[in-house]
Amino acid sequence: MTVIDLHQHLWPAPLVEALRDRTHAPYLRGWTLTTAGEPATELRPADHDVARRIALDEADGIELACVSLSAPLGIEDLPPDEAQPLLDAWHAGAVLLPGHFAPWASVGSLEPDLDGVRTMLEGPFVGLQLPATSLADPDGWLAAGEVLRIAEETDRAVLVHPGPSPASSGTRPDWWAPVVDYTAQLQAAWWAWHALDGRAHFPRLRIVFVAGAGLAPLQHERLAARGGRTTTVDPDVYVDTSSYGPQALDGLIRALGLDGLVLGSDRPYAEPLAHLLDDAATRLVRVDNPRRALGARLGVPTLEGVA
């Protein structure tokens, strides 16, 4: 019984050094992060210490942690000559992490390297992360069609994660982007998928929306009230548990059922869900559903032989 956390962040040394080499956002000075849309943030080096992270995970019973590039950095949206060195640094560092970790691949939005995406998804990467900002309307999903089809063909999942926050001239507290911008991005991507009837375009695609898709599934009653077309629950679309507790998770279960919920912690920014309802429900969310989301029954390389 392997507990799988689908959503963590850990910055390997090549990515840290590449960010320190930059002179404009996103960049690091020491461990101070500057991005285009959020206040400068002082990161904790311990949060990206590999041995410490493994120890924390093991204490929480997590045996496999899927780590992804921090999409709010905005790397995917940079001009290709800026984006690619940072993406290369992420991928090079991620594949050298110990076997406790399984990495998500990332791809530039402007000129995606399709051959590179296919090679990564046929190799050690468990799937492809895309920023929600790139999927904010039906045309965004269609524009990403080539990389989404590669994910389908290689039987890999797609992780939808918040992207960069817009720059603001006003004063906003530090929590504004995670609470307001990120959830709005995820809701837009969720509704864009449904407005497109994404399943008709990508029949075999498995999708994981982080952070409960910004609680978008709870708005399906409002959709019906406003004349929208409701659909049945899609067994290949999941939302993760990151940053939410019993109150929100109860609503998501009512909307999607237990089969639509997967463990994702967003560590180091939040803690993993330890228990939900009862032992059977906890196993579904922490073990069985993440395996289905990753396609483990179909032989994802990093999960072969996992009980």
Side-chain angles (χ1 to χ4, degrees):
M1 185 181 76
T2 298
V3 176
I4 304 170
D5 186 339
L6 293 181
H7 175 199
Q8 291 195 15
H9 301 288
L10 182 70
W11 292 10
L15 177 63
V16 171
E17 293 307 314
L19 287 169
R20 286 176 177 160
D21 286 343
R22 290 178 57 80
T23 59
H24 54 283
Y27 65 85
L28 278 172
R29 291 295 174 267
W31 284 96
T32 302
L33 173 67
T34 297
T35 63
E38 298 185 44
T41 303
E42 190 68 25
L43 305 181
R44 299 193 310 170
D47 286 342
H48 301 282
D49 180 274
V50 172
R52 180 176 182 272
R53 176 67 59 84
I54 292 174
L56 288 172
D57 284 350
E58 289 179 345
D60 290 321
I62 295 168
E63 295 160 273
L64 184 69
C66 300
V67 290
S68 71
L69 181 66
S70 297
L73 292 172
I75 289 171
E76 295 90 337
D77 295 332
L78 292 172
D81 62 332
E82 293 188 50
Q84 200 57 53
L86 293 168
L87 293 171
D88 290 344
W90 159 249
H91 295 132
V95 296
L96 294 178
L97 291 171
H100 173 82
F101 301 99
W104 294 91
S106 288
V107 62
S109 300
L110 300 181
E111 294 179 9
D113 177 5
L114 300 180
D115 290 338
V117 169
R118 184 176 295 277
T119 297
M120 289 186 292
L121 297 189
E122 288 177 344
F125 291 84
V126 293
L128 178 68
Q129 177 183 265
L130 293 177
T133 44
S134 297
L135 307 170
D137 55 35
D139 287 344
W141 283 95
L142 291 176
E146 290 182 300
V147 295
L148 295 175
R149 276 184 279 276
I150 293 172
E152 277 192 302
E153 292 164 5
T154 56
D155 190 36
R156 295 295 187 264
V158 167
L159 185 75
V160 180
H161 190 285
S165 295
S168 172
S169 59
T171 301
R172 304 190 307 185
D174 290 345
W175 52 258
W176 185 272
V179 175
V180 179
D181 293 340
Y182 294 179
T183 54
Q185 293 173 19
L186 290 166
Q187 288 205 24
W190 173 275
W191 289 114
W193 170 261
H194 286 78
L196 174 66
D197 188 9
R199 187 54 67 203
H201 293 267
F202 308 101
R204 302 187 308 280
L205 189 66
R206 294 189 306 278
I207 307 172
V208 178
F209 289 85
V210 307
L215 302 187
L218 305 190
Q219 303 297 332
H220 278 258
E221 290 176 324
R222 183 169 176 82
L223 172 70
R226 291 305 179 104
R229 181 175 63 87
T230 58
T231 60
T232 59
V233 174
D234 188 328
D236 284 326
V237 174
Y238 304 84
V239 302
D240 87 14
T241 59
S242 57
S243 301
Y244 288 111
Q247 190 173 29
L249 297 180
D250 178 71
L252 290 170
I253 292 168
R254 290 174 184 270
L256 300 174
L258 272 168
D259 288 343
L261 204 62
V262 293
L263 175 63
S265 69
D266 198 22
R267 184 165 257 172
Y269 308 108
E271 297 300 310
L273 176 75
H275 188 79
L276 181 69
L277 299 178
D278 56 29
D279 289 346
T282 300
R283 177 184 168 112
L284 273 176
V285 173
R286 284 170 54 95
V287 178
D288 299 335
N289 294 348
R291 284 178 61 87
R292 288 192 300 110
L294 291 181
R297 291 183 301 183
L298 301 178
V300 171
T302 54
L303 298 180
E304 286 180 357
V306 170

